[in-house]
PDB file of all heavy atoms in Angstrom:
ATOM      1  N   ILE A 134       3.620  11.788  16.761  1.00 90.00           N
ATOM      2  CA  ILE A 134       3.557  11.583  15.324  1.00 90.00           C
ATOM      3  C   ILE A 134       4.334  10.325  14.946  1.00 90.00           C
ATOM      4  O   ILE A 134       5.487  10.151  15.339  1.00 90.00           O
ATOM      5  CB  ILE A 134       4.131  12.799  14.560  1.00 90.00           C
ATOM      6  CG1 ILE A 134       3.417  14.080  14.985  1.00 90.00           C
ATOM      7  CG2 ILE A 134       3.999  12.576  13.052  1.00 90.00           C
ATOM      8  CD1 ILE A 134       1.932  14.075  14.749  1.00 90.00           C
ATOM      9  N   ARG A 135       3.679   9.451  14.177  1.00 92.00           N
ATOM     10  CA  ARG A 135       4.303   8.213  13.717  1.00 92.00           C
ATOM     11  C   ARG A 135       4.733   8.367  12.255  1.00 92.00           C
ATOM     12  O   ARG A 135       4.177   9.167  11.513  1.00 92.00           O
ATOM     13  CB  ARG A 135       3.323   7.039  13.843  1.00 92.00           C
ATOM     14  CG  ARG A 135       2.920   6.742  15.279  1.00 92.00           C
ATOM     15  CD  ARG A 135       1.842   5.665  15.340  1.00 92.00           C
ATOM     16  NE  ARG A 135       0.586   6.126  14.746  1.00 92.00           N
ATOM     17  CZ  ARG A 135       0.034   5.618  13.654  1.00 92.00           C
ATOM     18  NH1 ARG A 135       0.609   4.611  13.004  1.00 92.00           N
ATOM     19  NH2 ARG A 135      -1.117   6.097  13.195  1.00 92.00           N
ATOM     20  N   PHE A 136       5.722   7.577  11.855  1.00 96.00           N
ATOM     21  CA  PHE A 136       6.254   7.643  10.500  1.00 96.00           C
ATOM     22  C   PHE A 136       6.374   6.253   9.896  1.00 96.00           C
ATOM     23  O   PHE A 136       6.636   5.284  10.610  1.00 96.00           O
ATOM     24  CB  PHE A 136       7.652   8.271  10.494  1.00 96.00           C
ATOM     25  CG  PHE A 136       7.670   9.763  10.675  1.00 96.00           C
ATOM     26  CD1 PHE A 136       7.577  10.317  11.944  1.00 96.00           C
ATOM     27  CD2 PHE A 136       7.785  10.608   9.581  1.00 96.00           C
ATOM     28  CE1 PHE A 136       7.594  11.698  12.123  1.00 96.00           C
ATOM     29  CE2 PHE A 136       7.808  11.984   9.755  1.00 96.00           C
ATOM     30  CZ  PHE A 136       7.709  12.527  11.022  1.00 96.00           C
ATOM     31  N   THR A 137       6.188   6.169   8.597  1.00 96.00           N
ATOM     32  CA  THR A 137       6.644   5.012   7.827  1.00 96.00           C
ATOM     33  C   THR A 137       7.621   5.547   6.784  1.00 96.00           C
ATOM     34  O   THR A 137       7.446   6.659   6.256  1.00 96.00           O
ATOM     35  CB  THR A 137       5.493   4.283   7.118  1.00 96.00           C
ATOM     36  OG1 THR A 137       4.870   5.161   6.167  1.00 96.00           O
ATOM     37  CG2 THR A 137       4.455   3.802   8.131  1.00 96.00           C
ATOM     38  N   LEU A 138       8.672   4.781   6.507  1.00 96.00           N
ATOM     39  CA  LEU A 138       9.686   5.186   5.532  1.00 96.00           C
ATOM     40  C   LEU A 138       9.919   4.029   4.570  1.00 96.00           C
ATOM     41  O   LEU A 138      10.362   2.957   4.971  1.00 96.00           O
ATOM     42  CB  LEU A 138      10.988   5.570   6.243  1.00 96.00           C
ATOM     43  CG  LEU A 138      12.169   5.975   5.342  1.00 96.00           C
ATOM     44  CD1 LEU A 138      11.802   7.161   4.468  1.00 96.00           C
ATOM     45  CD2 LEU A 138      13.406   6.288   6.187  1.00 96.00           C
ATOM     46  N   ASP A 139       9.591   4.254   3.299  1.00 94.00           N
ATOM     47  CA  ASP A 139       9.749   3.227   2.276  1.00 94.00           C
ATOM     48  C   ASP A 139      10.825   3.681   1.302  1.00 94.00           C
ATOM     49  O   ASP A 139      11.025   4.879   1.096  1.00 94.00           O
ATOM     50  CB  ASP A 139       8.419   3.011   1.552  1.00 94.00           C
ATOM     51  CG  ASP A 139       8.376   1.688   0.804  1.00 94.00           C
ATOM     52  OD1 ASP A 139       9.322   0.894   0.957  1.00 94.00           O
ATOM     53  OD2 ASP A 139       7.411   1.458   0.050  1.00 94.00           O
ATOM     54  N   VAL A 140      11.504   2.713   0.685  1.00 93.00           N
ATOM     55  CA  VAL A 140      12.603   3.004  -0.230  1.00 93.00           C
ATOM     56  C   VAL A 140      12.265   2.470  -1.615  1.00 93.00           C
ATOM     57  O   VAL A 140      11.761   1.348  -1.747  1.00 93.00           O
ATOM     58  CB  VAL A 140      13.916   2.362   0.260  1.00 93.00           C
ATOM     59  CG1 VAL A 140      15.076   2.752  -0.650  1.00 93.00           C
ATOM     60  CG2 VAL A 140      14.214   2.767   1.690  1.00 93.00           C
ATOM     61  N   CYS A 141      12.520   3.273  -2.635  1.00 89.00           N
ATOM     62  CA  CYS A 141      12.273   2.825  -4.006  1.00 89.00           C
ATOM     63  C   CYS A 141      13.234   3.546  -4.943  1.00 89.00           C
ATOM     64  O   CYS A 141      14.061   4.352  -4.511  1.00 89.00           O
ATOM     65  CB  CYS A 141      10.821   3.060  -4.403  1.00 89.00           C
ATOM     66  SG  CYS A 141      10.338   4.793  -4.433  1.00 89.00           S
ATOM     67  N   SER A 142      13.113   3.283  -6.222  1.00 86.00           N
ATOM     68  CA  SER A 142      13.985   3.923  -7.199  1.00 86.00           C
ATOM     69  C   SER A 142      13.607   5.388  -7.382  1.00 86.00           C
ATOM     70  O   SER A 142      12.512   5.816  -7.014  1.00 86.00           O
ATOM     71  CB  SER A 142      13.890   3.197  -8.548  1.00 86.00           C
ATOM     72  OG  SER A 142      12.624   3.410  -9.139  1.00 86.00           O
ATOM     73  N   GLN A 143      14.508   6.133  -7.993  1.00 86.00           N
ATOM     74  CA  GLN A 143      14.281   7.573  -8.196  1.00 86.00           C
ATOM     75  C   GLN A 143      13.034   7.834  -9.031  1.00 86.00           C
ATOM     76  O   GLN A 143      12.251   8.744  -8.727  1.00 86.00           O
ATOM     77  CB  GLN A 143      15.509   8.179  -8.874  1.00 86.00           C
ATOM     78  CG  GLN A 143      15.445   9.680  -9.046  1.00 86.00           C
ATOM     79  CD  GLN A 143      16.753  10.239  -9.565  1.00 86.00           C
ATOM     80  OE1 GLN A 143      17.817   9.719  -9.278  1.00 86.00           O
ATOM     81  NE2 GLN A 143      16.678  11.288 -10.351  1.00 86.00           N
ATOM     82  N   ARG A 144      12.809   7.044 -10.066  1.00 85.00           N
ATOM     83  CA  ARG A 144      11.636   7.273 -10.926  1.00 85.00           C
ATOM     84  C   ARG A 144      10.335   6.882 -10.235  1.00 85.00           C
ATOM     85  O   ARG A 144       9.268   7.366 -10.614  1.00 85.00           O
ATOM     86  CB  ARG A 144      11.782   6.513 -12.247  1.00 85.00           C
ATOM     87  CG  ARG A 144      11.784   5.006 -12.125  1.00 85.00           C
ATOM     88  CD  ARG A 144      11.834   4.351 -13.496  1.00 85.00           C
ATOM     89  NE  ARG A 144      13.045   4.717 -14.210  1.00 85.00           N
ATOM     90  CZ  ARG A 144      14.182   4.025 -14.127  1.00 85.00           C
ATOM     91  NH1 ARG A 144      14.267   2.960 -13.342  1.00 85.00           N
ATOM     92  NH2 ARG A 144      15.238   4.400 -14.804  1.00 85.00           N
ATOM     93  N   GLU A 145      10.402   6.023  -9.209  1.00 90.00           N
ATOM     94  CA  GLU A 145       9.186   5.599  -8.523  1.00 90.00           C
ATOM     95  C   GLU A 145       8.706   6.603  -7.484  1.00 90.00           C
ATOM     96  O   GLU A 145       7.535   6.591  -7.107  1.00 90.00           O
ATOM     97  CB  GLU A 145       9.409   4.251  -7.843  1.00 90.00           C
ATOM     98  CG  GLU A 145       9.474   3.052  -8.764  1.00 90.00           C
ATOM     99  CD  GLU A 145       9.667   1.765  -7.991  1.00 90.00           C
ATOM    100  OE1 GLU A 145      10.802   1.530  -7.508  1.00 90.00           O
ATOM    101  OE2 GLU A 145       8.696   1.014  -7.835  1.00 90.00           O
TER     102      GLU A 145
END
Side-chain angles (χ1 to χ4, degrees):
I134 305 301
R135 296 174 294 115
F136 284 82
T137 62
L138 178 59
D139 198 7
V140 184
C141 64
S142 69
Q143 184 173 328
R144 65 176 61 90
E145 287 181 286

